[in-house]
Amino acid sequence: MLILGIESSCDETAAAVVEDGRRVLSNVIASQVEEHRLYGGVVPEIASRRHAEAIDGVVRRALEEAGVTLSQIDGIAVTYAPGLIGALLVGVSFAKGLALTTGKPLIPVHHLRSHIAANYLAHPELKPPFLCLVVSGGHSHIVQVKDYTQFEVIGRTRDDAAGECYDKAARAMGMPYPGGVALDKLAAEGNPDAYPLPRPHVEGSRYDFSFSGLKTAVINRLHNAEQKGERINKADLCASFQQRVSGMLVENTMLAAEDLGASTIVLAGGVSANSGLRAGMEAACAQRGYALYAPPLSLCGDNGAMVAAQGYYELLAGHTAGMELNAIASLPITE
Ligand code: KG4
Ligand code: ZN
């Protein structure tokens, strides 16, 4: 079965064709990141405009590169929630237009579900149930994936998302948006024990995260050094920050795995590209004899292939929509 996947929830306009939820035939991404970098973050109005300009060409190219025509497609999957509302609306409206004119099923896909599905594209043997750490620019969840379309949120961030925390810490250190990747790179050259950073605790849940205190600690450390005329070793600060964030993500995920008796751990979302998190999770899983899966770096960020992959399983479950489908800015993964 061939699914066309369309993604426009943030700052990438993307489309892809995937066969049976597992085999990528094409995966086209038009990134707007260079333009948003001028402003230090995503400007929603600009994002919507660029999506509107790019989407037709991106979808055409995805079909061309896959060597298929629209008539050969079995379903049109689109990210409808959560994300920037104006940005989501471009993809949803375009997909609705395609579904209406072709008579193909319209498949609404939750953005975090699609990040999880990126793993199905890279790991043919991976099947639910498993425990998944979903870490992106907007979300940080520990999710029990019971089936392809059945989820339970076990832990979540109480404030900033992990990616947001990375980007804000990087920005404070003078790195351009989105700073997560640059911070990760510089961390490799630093000493992770050079700057002790707080380990924020969360009341009431063993698995919830809190990152905003950590971001503030980095900013305070920088201000403090500036006031005293002291030189900060940026690589050391990056390494210390990275060790702390990945430590928190790994610890809580291992706690949840132990409590739930899960032995298959999966990483998903933009931050799953982080080298510290991947290495920390690998070591923790190896120690406990857990199987670990993560998407290849090329599928960690937003893309259309992951939407098509999840779309396939949503279609099998009968989750299609009519022309009443609307974009939703905020929606739990369970709905
Ligand atoms: O999943 P994603 O592409 O978009 C959202 O759904 O939000 O995630 C983007 C986030 C950004 O905050 C970006 O800085 C972060 O993922 N990110 C990283 C790395 N690569 C991307 N954070 C830390 N280390 C990385 N290597
Ligand atoms: Zn994303």
Side-chain angles (χ1 to χ4, degrees):
M1 209 186 281
L2 294 179
I3 305 292
L4 171 67
I6 299 175
E7 152 66 31
S8 70
S9 68
C10 191
D11 57 354
E12 336 273 0
T13 318
V17 178
V18 170
E19 189 180 17
D20 296 336
R22 298 280 177 166
R23 202 165 78 86
V24 181
L25 301 190
S26 66
N27 194 16
V28 178
I29 304 175
S31 178
Q32 312 170 354
V33 73
E34 291 300 330
E35 191 165 1
H36 295 293
R37 187 167 286 151
L38 292 171
Y39 307 96
V42 177
V43 183
E45 178 65 23
I46 294 178
S48 312
R49 283 169 192 249
R50 295 297 167 263
H51 284 310
E53 289 162 8
I55 195 152
D56 184 48
V58 166
V59 170
R60 268 176 211 278
R61 253 187 61 203
L63 290 167
E64 261 170 41
E65 286 185 17
V68 299
T69 59
L70 207 45
S71 61
Q72 290 170 280
I73 294 289
D74 298 292
I76 297 158
V78 64
T79 311
Y80 79 115
L84 299 170
I85 193 70
L88 286 167
L89 269 170
V90 175
V92 168
S93 308
F94 195 85
K96 280 164 79 170
L98 286 183
L100 188 66
T101 49
T102 58
K104 309 280 180 185
L106 175 65
I107 314 161
V109 174
H110 189 286
H111 186 59
L112 296 185
R113 292 189 183 197
S114 68
H115 269 302
I116 297 171
N119 283 283
Y120 302 140
L121 299 167
H123 310 294
E125 72 282 15
L126 179 67
K127 291 185 176 83
F130 53 79
L131 189 69
C132 187
L133 174 71
V134 192
V135 270
S136 70
H139 297 85
S140 303
H141 282 357
I142 298 175
V143 180
Q144 216 179 350
V145 181
K146 297 178 168 175
D147 207 339
Y148 290 105
T149 60
Q150 215 194 332
F151 305 83
E152 187 177 340
V153 178
I154 304 298
R156 53 161 51 84
T157 180
R158 296 283 181 94
D159 39 56
D160 291 351
E164 193 181 354
C165 183
Y166 259 99
D167 294 341
K168 285 177 178 169
R171 188 177 182 166
M173 286 187 255
M175 297 170 189
Y177 175 85
V181 187
L183 198 158
D184 186 6
K185 231 186 219 165
L186 195 53
E189 297 165 23
N191 168 13
D193 301 314
Y195 295 103
L197 293 169
R199 163 74 162 95
H201 283 283
V202 179
E203 293 291 320
S205 165
R206 278 158 69 74
Y207 318 124
D208 282 2
F209 305 106
S210 167
F211 294 111
S212 71
L214 201 50
K215 165 199 71 193
T216 311
V218 167
I219 293 171
N220 287 348
R221 192 72 194 78
L222 288 163
H223 285 172
N224 198 268
E226 201 178 313
Q227 279 163 2
K228 291 184 183 155
E230 179 194 324
R231 207 184 71 83
I232 285 272
N233 181 319
K234 263 195 207 172
D236 284 352
L237 188 56
C238 288
S240 305
F241 174 83
Q242 177 139 308
Q243 174 170 266
R244 176 58 83 229
V245 175
S246 31
M248 285 159 61
L249 293 169
V250 171
E251 266 173 47
N252 289 18
T253 307
M254 290 301 110
L255 263 182
E258 241 162 72
D259 292 354
L260 298 166
S263 58
T264 302
I265 311 297
V266 175
L267 300 182
V271 183
S272 64
N274 185 263
S275 61
L277 174 62
R278 288 171 95 102
M281 203 62 97
E282 245 163 56
C285 287
Q287 204 179 26
R288 293 165 177 81
Y290 296 165
L292 175 67
Y293 296 92
L297 295 187
S298 59
L299 293 174
C300 287
D302 296 342
N303 64 83
M306 67 186 196
V307 180
Q310 182 60 27
Y312 170 74
Y313 291 105
E314 299 289 351
L315 181 62
L316 290 187
H319 299 164
T320 57
M323 287 302 123
E324 74 290 346
L325 180 68
N326 205 350
I328 307 173
S330 173
L331 185 78
I333 191 170
T334 45
E335 280 174 33

